Amino acid sequence: MSPSRSIIGNRISLASGAGDSRSPLGLVGAVLLHAAIIAATLFSFEHRLDIAQESPPVVPVDLVTIGAKTNITPTVRPQRRVAAEPVVQPKPEPHLAPEPIVPPKPQPLEFHAPKIAMEKSEPAPQQETPPQPASKPQPKKSSADNFQALLNKLSTSSSSQPANARIAQQTRKGFGAQDAMTMDLRDSLKNQIEQCWNPPAGAPHPEQLVVFVDLRLNPDGSVAGKPQLAAQSLTAVAGNPFIRAAADAAMRAIYVCAPYKLPAERFSDWRDSTVEFDPRDLAGQ
Amino acid sequence: MRRIVTLLAALVGIALASPASATLQIDVNQGNLQPMPIAITDFGGAPGQNVASVVRADLDRSGLFRPLDPKSFVDQIKGFNVPPNFANWRVINAQALVTGQETIQPDGRMKVAFRLWDVFGEQQMIAEEYTTTPESWRRVAHLIADAIYQRVTGEKGYFDTRIVFISESGPLLNRKKRLAIMDEDGFNPIYLTNGSYLVLTPRFNPTAQTIAYMSYIAGKPRVYVFDIDSGRQEMLGDFPNMTFSPRFSPDGNRVVMSLEQSGVSDIYSMDLRTRSTTRLTNDRAIDTSPSYSPDGRQITFESDRGGSQQIYVMNADGSNSLRISFGAGKNGTPVWSPRGDLIALTKQDAGAFRIGVMRPDGSGERIISDGWEDEGPTWAPNGRVLMFSRTLRGGHGSQIWSVDVTGRNEQRVATPGDASDPAWSPLIQ
């Protein structure tokens, strides 16, 4: 009884306080601020619409203007790159993209071997082996192999753009995070994956169930090799059945929706991606 | 030294070049909630067919899986120890595949083994084997369904559980109410009492197969504890007045209940080992429906001390009680989830009773059932599914329904005749 009265009393005093503080100056200020906000939203709106409707024509314009600035730095650097590239060229072709996919495949074959494999412990290591081969080769082999693995990345990019490789690198670098250029690709891939993602709704602590997957695609939009959990997700999966289930659901989404429909001429832009599966907005659904 | 220098030079070159092979960053935060298509092949042997069909029914009922019709299978499983031809299962859009084998051992016992395969990832997800008497084949099927459910959702299953409930029969004016128990899927119903006395509000011990309930034996309403295996029934304490609304602590060592005295009721807890009682609330209001948090440190209960029936949370020793429900209408029968993240309740608003959930701090309230008179929620041991009583409009019968904590997959639970007041058992040990 008494608490409710005092609350009402508070409200009244607050309301009257607000009335006292009104003044013509404040009003003018408020009107000006509102006008400024409306103007600002109008500007940003038009800009976004332009990009959305005609992204291909707009992007090159940005490239040219910013590229002019960044061209200053690359002129110093090409020498270092030249040093790197000769090393690249001898070995790129033997180390084509399929290489990293090979190690996981022998494992499924091992399913033939355990004839009465019933224990939980037996299947578990098999299931968790795929990530391991990726890490094992590195410590075993010398730094030269590390080097080759790194070169693989480089080689694939250079082979996809053989003639203009250097120029493309420079201009893109100047373009920062390439947001505008690849925004349509991101949206397209995102929309396609979302159709197939069965998120872990109803699970406790959805904020812990965010999973990152490194995905590589083939030119026809199919999944190249096995998508891998990104490092931060890999460690989390080990001890938590909920995260493991979330990771499995993410993998299924990627497989089920493949092949992806993306513009073939821009393959190099969408070949590699890191997909974040975030169920936080879906909690409690 | 030269090697190191060339290596460093190359690394610098790569670092500079890497932006060119930059990866797309994609944030997937919207999904398409749909039951997962799963193919469950018949297990080898005649009883095996039954095992597979029970596994299919369990997973289907959960609402999280969609078992595919075996008639749609295009692939024949060559053998239990041969990896399946995954492409043939992708053709029918199966995302997971279950194969199994059932054999009778020389000693007459039955051995059932199964494998769960990831059809797209082309690998085995789990494989397990159970040995039991052939009569227990239904339990084995439930255990397999639990294992699949847990591997795919991360959550423990709940198919190998039982439900106690009040079975109602006879005319409205002379209703016979008997305590009954059945498997979670409605099979194997057994009556535990003969209906000669009234039984209400059965509650499972979370650690053992014992039940606490209120019964009017010899006209005196008191709380009893019943051992399912032995059939032994025992009155809890000898109070002068009515005791009701019992519930076990998470460790099974205590029972909290209400004791009525001259029109008001307070909450007491009793240590089952020493039989000593502790009074937890002390006011001129009706405090009832206590339920422990899974860590045993807090108790949620309903009280009308604020003028209307609302939900409160207090420490297990009765201190620091705090009102948590403030929305429209009245709120009652709070039950703390075994997972700890939510409290289920019955909300009475605008002439209807519905089941809702809220967080223990009172936030995030959601209504998850849509009947006209739904009440008395009980949690599955995994805290993911709820059952409750539903009275049909006009009092034409009562039924037990289940619903996912997300509010999806509301469905009727099979019971022999009318039924109310369900209580979900822990996983059978």
Side-chain angles (χ1 to χ4, degrees):
Chain A
M1 297 292 254
S2 60
S4 64
R5 260 183 225 149
S6 70
I7 288 166
I8 291 164
N10 276 339
R11 277 185 195 152
I12 291 164
S13 69
L14 278 172
S16 62
D20 292 342
S21 67
R22 279 182 203 164
S23 71
L25 259 178
L27 198 75
V28 171
V31 168
L32 281 174
L33 271 172
H34 276 86
I37 290 165
I38 290 163
T41 49
L42 281 175
F43 266 106
S44 63
F45 232 106
E46 279 183 8
H47 199 65
R48 268 189 74 184
L49 281 173
D50 281 345
I51 291 169
Q53 285 171 352
E54 300 178 82
S55 51
V58 170
V59 171
V61 174
D62 284 349
L63 271 171
V64 171
T65 51
I66 300 171
K69 286 179 191 169
T70 51
N71 278 346
I72 299 164
T73 44
T75 48
V76 189
R77 286 173 188 163
Q79 290 164 343
R80 293 179 196 169
R81 250 182 226 135
V82 173
E85 271 174 347
V87 193
V88 175
Q89 280 160 353
K91 289 180 183 174
E93 276 150 39
H95 290 274
L96 286 173
E99 269 285 321
I101 312 152
V102 182
K105 278 193 174 170
Q107 265 113 38
L109 295 176
E110 285 173 22
F111 285 125
H112 293 281
K115 279 176 185 165
I116 319 167
M118 289 308 129
E119 304 291 324
K120 276 183 197 169
S121 54
E122 284 200 39
Q126 287 169 355
Q127 196 229 336
E128 283 171 328
T129 33
Q132 285 171 353
S135 56
K136 272 183 187 169
Q138 286 176 343
K140 275 182 193 169
K141 295 176 185 176
S142 66
S143 59
D145 272 290
N146 269 337
F147 182 48
Q148 283 171 6
L150 289 166
L151 292 178
N152 276 340
K153 279 189 181 174
L154 195 59
S155 70
T156 40
S157 63
S158 60
S159 64
S160 58
Q161 302 167 323
N164 304 331
R166 223 183 295 168
I167 297 161
Q169 282 163 14
Q170 287 170 6
T171 47
R172 278 187 207 178
K173 192 170 181 293
F175 200 61
Q178 312 174 34
D179 282 352
M181 200 157 111
T182 55
M183 197 182 286
D184 58 331
L185 295 176
R186 283 192 304 169
D187 285 350
S188 175
L189 196 48
K190 171 185 161 82
N191 289 339
Q192 291 180 58
I193 295 175
E194 281 178 350
Q195 296 302 313
C196 299
W197 184 39
N198 203 352
H205 308 298
E207 71 279 2
Q208 295 174 5
L209 303 182
V210 179
V211 171
F212 293 85
V213 179
D214 289 333
L215 171 65
R216 172 165 284 194
L217 297 174
N218 292 319
D220 64 356
S222 62
V223 179
K226 290 197 174 191
Q228 297 290 328
L229 283 180
Q232 67 265 47
S233 297
L234 209 56
T235 47
V237 160
N240 187 323
F242 287 103
I243 302 179
R244 186 163 71 152
D248 285 347
M251 293 292 184
R252 274 197 298 276
I254 284 171
Y255 278 123
V256 171
C257 265
Y260 294 93
K261 294 185 187 74
L262 294 161
E265 68 279 9
R266 293 163 70 191
F267 172 57
S268 60
D269 287 332
W270 50 260
R271 190 186 63 163
D272 289 303
S273 53
T274 299
V275 189
E276 176 185 3
F277 290 87
D278 182 350
R280 280 175 292 188
D281 292 348
L282 303 157
Q285 277 202 4
Chain B
M1 191 61 193
R2 258 183 79 185
R3 274 179 69 185
I4 294 170
V5 170
T6 33
L7 190 71
L8 278 174
L11 283 173
V12 169
I14 288 157
L16 288 171
S18 58
S21 57
T23 56
L24 280 182
Q25 302 295 322
I26 295 161
D27 176 17
V28 173
N29 52 19
Q30 293 298 315
N32 192 359
L33 278 174
Q34 279 190 334
M36 175 179 159
I38 184 169
I40 302 165
T41 61
D42 285 340
F43 291 16
Q49 280 194 1
N50 296 332
V51 169
S53 64
V54 171
V55 173
R56 278 182 212 120
D58 280 353
L59 294 178
D60 188 29
R61 215 167 45 250
S62 76
L64 302 179
F65 296 84
R66 181 166 60 83
L68 300 170
D69 185 346
K71 286 183 197 127
S72 69
F73 298 171
V74 294
D75 193 47
Q76 291 288 321
I77 295 298
K78 307 277 188 309
F80 182 61
N81 294 317
V82 181
N85 184 346
F86 293 107
N88 284 344
W89 297 97
R90 283 196 287 268
V91 166
I92 60 166
N93 296 321
Q95 294 183 14
L97 168 69
V98 178
T99 59
Q101 189 178 46
E102 175 267 317
T103 47
I104 301 291
Q105 308 278 81
D107 62 1
R109 301 210 303 162
M110 183 177 78
K111 193 166 90 175
V112 183
F114 81 96
R115 292 181 194 275
L116 172 66
W117 301 92
D118 179 346
V119 171
F120 283 89
E122 302 205 346
Q123 58 186 350
Q124 178 179 290
M125 295 171 83
I126 43 166
E128 280 178 27
E129 177 189 276
Y130 305 88
T131 307
T132 180
T133 56
E135 304 84 63
S136 306
W137 67 272
R138 285 197 77 89
R139 263 206 76 190
V140 170
H142 293 319
L143 286 167
I144 291 172
D146 278 341
I148 295 168
Y149 181 98
Q150 180 171 5
R151 181 60 187 81
V152 172
T153 67
E155 203 112 38
K156 277 194 157 40
Y158 55 86
F159 305 114
D160 186 34
T161 55
R162 297 195 275 192
I163 311 293
V164 282
F165 60 100
I166 305 300
S167 168
E168 302 183 15
S169 56
L172 270 178
L173 290 175
N174 185 21
R175 206 85 166 136
K176 202 176 214 182
K177 292 193 171 187
R178 287 183 289 179
L179 188 64
I181 187 166
M182 64 181 187
D183 293 351
E184 186 270 340
D185 60 354
F187 277 77
N188 301 324
I190 300 166
Y191 294 107
L192 300 174
T193 61
N194 59 15
S196 60
Y197 50 90
L198 188 65
V199 178
L200 293 172
T201 64
R203 306 287 180 239
F204 252 104
N205 182 334
T207 63
Q209 297 292 317
T210 53
I211 309 165
Y213 52 80
M214 177 210 188
S215 180
Y216 281 81
I217 295 173
K220 289 165 89 179
R222 296 287 185 275
V223 168
Y224 291 81
V225 171
F226 183 91
D227 186 313
I228 295 171
D229 294 332
S230 68
R232 209 164 61 100
Q233 179 172 265
E234 183 190 0
M235 187 162 78
L236 263 196
D238 192 11
F239 298 97
N241 296 309
M242 174 166 86
T243 53
F244 59 104
S245 196
R247 207 179 280 274
F248 286 94
S249 64
D251 60 9
N253 289 334
R254 303 181 78 84
V255 167
V256 276
M257 56 190 165
S258 302
L259 172 66
E260 182 270 333
Q261 267 173 320
S262 52
V264 299
S265 67
D266 281 307
I267 293 169
Y268 288 73
S269 84
M270 174 185 275
D271 190 314
L272 293 175
R273 296 158 299 186
T274 62
R275 300 285 154 150
S276 62
T277 54
T278 314
R279 182 171 187 163
L280 301 180
T281 66
N282 190 356
D283 55 33
R284 300 295 302 162
I286 296 174
D287 300 333
T288 184
S289 282
S291 168
Y292 276 100
S293 63
D295 61 7
R297 285 152 69 170
Q298 287 177 293
I299 293 173
T300 179
F301 62 101
E302 67 171 64
S303 174
D304 63 356
R305 61 179 68 168
S308 76
Q309 188 192 64
Q310 295 296 346
I311 292 169
Y312 292 73
V313 169
M314 65 181 173
N315 292 337
D317 62 2
S319 65
N320 205 12
S321 96
L322 190 73
R323 177 173 165 181
I324 63 160
S325 70
F326 291 94
K330 296 177 182 176
N331 295 286
T333 69
V335 193
W336 216 306
S337 155
R339 213 159 70 177
D341 57 341
L342 294 169
I343 291 173
L345 51 97
T346 306
K347 185 173 196 69
Q348 186 188 347
D349 188 31
F353 291 77
R354 295 203 172 90
I355 305 300
V357 291
M358 61 171 60
R359 296 196 194 98
D361 62 2
S363 66
E365 183 183 319
R366 286 183 281 128
I367 299 299
I368 58 168
S369 81
D370 62 356
W372 173 70
E373 193 175 329
D374 296 341
E375 55 193 330
T378 179
W379 289 97
N382 68 359
R384 171 69 202 237
V385 185
L386 289 138
M387 280 191 190
F388 55 88
S389 302
R390 169 167 290 177
T391 308
L392 303 181
R393 227 174 233 279
H396 297 300
S398 53
Q399 303 171 344
I400 296 175
W401 283 66
S402 72
V403 67
D404 193 270
V405 70
T406 58
R408 288 185 168 79
N409 196 35
E410 195 178 67
Q411 53 182 281
R412 188 180 172 186
V413 177
T415 51
D418 279 5
S420 62
D421 236 339
W424 212 315
S425 84
L427 284 168
I428 299 172
Q429 301 296 319

